[in-house]
Amino acid sequence: MRKVLTKIARLFGGAAAEPEDPREVFDRFRRVLRSNNRALEIIADLGEKLSGDYIFDSQYIEDSVRTLGETVLASVDALNVLDPHHQELYAVHTRLTEHLKAVLLGEEDRQGPRLLPLDGIDPQQWAIVGGKVAHLAELIHYLKLDIPPGFAITTRTYHDLLDHNSLRPLVDEFEALWATEATTSDALNEVRSRLAEALLAAEPPPGFIAELAASLATMAALTPANFTLAVRSSAQEEDLDFSFAGQFESVLNVAARPDELFHAYRVVAASLFGRAAVAYRRQIFPDRGRMSIACGCQLMIDSLVSGVAYSTDPGNPGIDTMVVVGAWGQGSGIVEGEIPVDTFLLRKGNPAEVLNRQTSRKESGLYLAEGGGLYERPLKEVRRNRACLTDPQLLELARQVAQMENYFKRPQDIEWTFDRAGRLFILQSRPLMVPVTRELRQELPETLQHYELLVAGQGQVAQLGIGAGPVHLVRHNEDLDDFPDGGILVARRDSSHFVRVMPRAAAIVTEIGTPVSHMATLCREMQVPCLVNVSGILALVENGQEITVDAEDRRIFKGRVRELLAYQLATSVSLGATWEFRLLRKLLNSVARLHLVDPLLDQFAAKNCRTYHDLLRYIHETAVITLVNLGKDERSLLRHQLTRSLDLPVPAGIMLIDIGGGLSENAPPQQVPFAEITSIPFRAILRGMLYPGVWHQAPMAVGFHDMMSSMLSVPADALDGQYSGHNLAVVSRNYVNLCFRFGYHFNIIDAHCDEVERNNHIYFRFLGGATDLTKRSRRARLISDILTAFDFNVRTRGDLVIARAGNMVQSEMERSLDILGRLVGFTRQLDVRLDSEERVDYYVESFLMGNYDAVSEE
């Protein structure tokens, strides 16, 4: 009984602490907004630079990141001036700032864990798992595609491996030589070779073998018995703007044992210092070559058929088609251009349409060897001339390919496989370099007819373009050593080793190959014109002979065709993105991504801020809650502020405190009419409350049981001053904090509304009622359903409803506040009527249809 009397007493009285001047509180809130907005403007400016329409340098990046950090810190300061109970945010700011400093210094790859499960990789960890694994993690998280399960060995492990084996000085020596010496330098190659050999013999860092064993045990619980692994490279920049196709090692069909896996990892790590990889780095990163390497350790798929898909046909980029290439078994022979393949051309669409099939005779395929690795096995005769993909398989593959192109917003080069059960797995997705040619081709002079044609209409285009120079025949890799500047490389097969000379090659022509090989990918990045599958070319040319390769019309001329070379100059495309562009993109990944989306979730906490954007969002929402509590203890505010009563045609009983611009200069000292209210959000709420039919004057009968149940169930925090008996609005021109009670219904509306969208917010809280908990909970559902229909973010618990909205233009804010005003009036005593779920549905529909008289009609 004592608890009952205490609750009843608190309903009608009680002391409260002295509140702060609301004008000062609101001014502090506006300082938080100003600082937050400045920080968000810097983030937006950084993002605009990635559009490609701006020129910027590393100094701009460093200055912007420093200014951003200072501005975010100012937001933390401003929040703590508003409410000093958020000191933990300084540690959060320090943590985020230190990470950005590491990115600027190129040291972010030394942080984080040594192993990460593929399905648990966070965007902020992309830098330590390399480009290839980062893309796979995106496909898992965002497109939910089937990716072989597994884990990543991060770049942190690579650095631990260097430090544990005392290889850091040797790496520093290599990098110093790399910065000053040519790639062919004997000194550079001697150190490069020593590094590769040392990594192959390196000892595991302490505890690493045990970590591998634990990750393998986790995989074993989720994968078939006796599974094996594919261990693939994933260097920092691999498969991002540059593919590094074929430059690093992959080790396939590795036994799932820690020692075997560590051995395979060392092979991958050592390939970072392979001759071709170093030459490739020189070409794409002439000034900044330091790199680290991670790798992906995934379930090795027992493949039925594998291949490559190009989401856009690089030979005809203006046509809405994609290309699929496949062969029986594993696909490693395809990307190296070593085996015959089937080629399919599909028109994009939903579903796609198969336009053309080119089926080759396939004598053999690559399959999993029992002791590890792959072996070549002859195919049964029935399969040799049969297409390796059925139409249903092609259409499903095309569907997923289109998904990836749409997600990455650029053409994709995709490696895929179907297992023996017919399940499609994506093994890799990287950007596809598609040339941009002129819309209208120049008309060539009549003199073109005087040049002798060696080849006309033969082969396949791996890279568009035109090149002329002396022929250099390559039959062995050693033939690359004396490749001449401006030469035309002619070979039997294509090879990714050709990257060593691509910077100097005018064009490449091969008798055997595919437009989806690693070499073809490299040609597109280097913009080297390339024709493959040009039958008999070796018999038609000789070393030193001058020829012109037209890889646009699939022609090869004797001599140098100047007209075609002029056309090439008019249609050339520059190579790749700059280092500054890539750095800015990495920084924005740790600055602009937003993870704290829903402030009503438990995860919306300071400790979960991963980016500056997260921290700014948390600061804003926390400041809003401080304003929500602005009206706490109305009696004290009424005693110490100049309050005015509001004169409305409905008995709302609202008192006003104007903290600046909320009322017109001519507003009377008491009984302020609606016309004198200049507060934008408050006027919108009142418009809703005064809408015809919304406010019901007739009282509704409440039984004694319902009344007592209501009184005894109101939680103590709802009665802590802010519902002491008055309805109070604290207003300015762009702000309202409205705390009011109708009977046993307790409401808060807190809103900021101006012309800057990101300043705007609405917080709505509803609690209580004059009936039992079942009816009050029904009204909570009614309110929740209505607010959800109007795009509020809503959370309910029993008879408590909390709803939020924000980041809307001013007109939409006013509309939403108008809806809240109507809702408050419409549901004021409605819980008495809610004796069934069907009644809830009826009143929800009535409100949404604008039939506000539904209550009085009954």
Side-chain angles (χ1 to χ4, degrees), residues 73-104:
L73 181 59
S75 289
V76 176
D77 290 336
L79 177 64
N80 278 282
V81 171
L82 177 65
D83 178 358
H85 298 96
H86 302 286
Q87 299 298 310
E88 78 280 4
L89 295 185
Y90 288 104
V92 174
H93 177 270
T94 298
R95 168 170 56 83
L96 298 176
T97 301
E98 290 302 314
H99 175 71
L100 291 178
K101 288 180 180 178
V103 175
L104 282 170

Side-chain angles (χ1 to χ4, degrees), residues 292-322:
S292 58
I293 194 166
C295 71
C297 307
Q298 296 174 267
L299 175 68
M300 187 75 203
I301 303 299
D302 188 8
S303 300
L304 175 67
V305 57
S306 306
V308 173
Y310 282 172
S311 66
T312 294
D313 183 357
N316 292 286
I319 300 176
D320 201 24
T321 55
M322 64 177 68

Side-chain angles (χ1 to χ4, degrees), residues 111-124:
Q111 302 176 344
R114 295 197 286 211
L115 300 177
L116 282 170
L118 288 183
D119 58 2
I121 295 171
D122 182 87
Q124 271 59 56

Side-chain angles (χ1 to χ4, degrees), residues 509-814:
V509 184
T510 68
E511 288 192 337
I512 298 173
T514 169
V516 298
S517 68
H518 287 316
M519 186 209 72
T521 299
L522 296 167
C523 284
R524 281 184 290 278
E525 287 184 355
M526 305 288 188
Q527 300 295 297
V528 179
C530 181
L531 289 174
V532 297
N533 286 333
V534 181
S535 178
I537 185 63
L538 286 171
L540 297 174
V541 296
E542 58 186 22
N543 264 326
Q545 178 183 356
E546 190 89 351
I547 63 172
T548 298
V549 176
D550 179 357
E552 305 211 350
D553 288 336
R554 295 184 299 152
R555 298 180 296 186
I556 300 176
F557 294 88
K558 263 190 177 181
R560 191 175 186 87
V561 183
R562 299 184 182 277
E563 296 82 0
L564 284 175
L565 296 175
Y567 173 76
Q568 164 65 15
L569 292 175
T571 57
S572 62
V573 180
S574 61
L575 175 67
T578 65
W579 175 85
E580 289 80 7
F581 186 95
R582 297 192 304 276
L583 173 61
L584 179 55
R585 186 173 55 199
K586 283 197 292 186
L587 285 165
L588 279 173
N589 189 50
S590 296
V591 165
R593 285 185 174 269
L594 186 61
H595 307 89
L596 299 190
V597 178
D598 187 349
L600 300 181
L601 296 178
D602 292 339
Q603 291 82 359
F604 197 91
K607 65 180 181 180
N608 293 326
C609 292
R610 305 178 193 174
T611 66
Y612 276 161
H613 198 176
D614 284 335
L615 182 53
L616 292 169
R617 171 95 164 131
Y618 181 82
I619 289 170
H620 181 271
E621 295 300 329
T622 304
V624 168
I625 293 300
T626 302
L627 280 193
V628 169
N629 294 325
L630 184 63
K632 192 173 183 180
D633 192 356
E634 291 92 334
R635 290 185 312 280
S636 186
L637 286 172
L638 290 170
R639 286 197 306 269
H640 294 87
Q641 300 293 335
L642 180 61
T643 60
R644 312 187 196 194
S645 58
L646 183 61
D647 183 16
L648 295 176
V650 298
I654 298 175
M655 305 292 289
L656 290 123
I657 297 176
D658 181 15
I659 61 175
L663 299 176
S664 72
E665 295 180 358
N666 300 321
Q670 291 297 329
Q671 298 300 310
V672 179
F674 176 79
E676 300 301 328
I677 296 172
T678 55
S679 171
I680 294 171
F682 191 38
R683 281 182 63 89
I685 294 170
L686 293 178
R687 275 198 304 268
M689 291 174 62
L690 300 177
Y691 192 85
V694 165
W695 194 276
H696 310 291
Q697 303 284 2
M700 297 186 186
V702 181
F704 180 77
H705 170 75
D706 278 340
M707 183 182 73
M708 292 304 296
S709 175
S710 169
M711 292 172 60
L712 299 179
S713 61
V714 175
D717 62 348
L719 300 169
D720 189 13
Q722 59 185 2
Y723 301 109
S724 58
H726 293 88
N727 298 328
L728 182 65
V730 180
V731 300
S732 75
R733 175 161 181 79
N734 303 111
Y735 174 71
V736 61
N737 180 288
L738 179 59
C739 297
F740 55 104
R741 182 186 75 185
F742 297 122
Y744 299 105
H745 314 132
F746 307 100
N747 299 264
I748 295 176
I749 300 177
D750 188 278
H752 188 276
C753 177
D754 66 21
E755 64 277 2
V756 181
E757 293 178 34
R758 57 176 170 259
N759 286 349
N760 296 337
H761 75 261
I762 300 173
Y763 177 97
F764 173 78
R765 189 171 187 260
F766 178 91
L767 179 69
T771 59
D772 61 37
L773 180 59
T774 299
K775 289 181 179 178
R776 297 200 310 274
S777 297
R778 286 175 183 151
R779 183 166 59 174
R781 180 171 78 82
L782 179 145
I783 292 172
S784 175
D785 288 353
I786 291 173
L787 290 178
T788 300
F790 287 100
D791 298 322
F792 280 79
N793 183 14
V794 185
R795 179 70 60 85
T796 62
R797 186 175 69 246
D799 59 346
L800 172 66
V801 180
I802 297 176
R804 305 186 77 146
N807 291 315
M808 295 186 289
V809 297
Q810 184 171 314
S811 60
E812 286 300 305
M813 284 287 295
E814 293 184 58

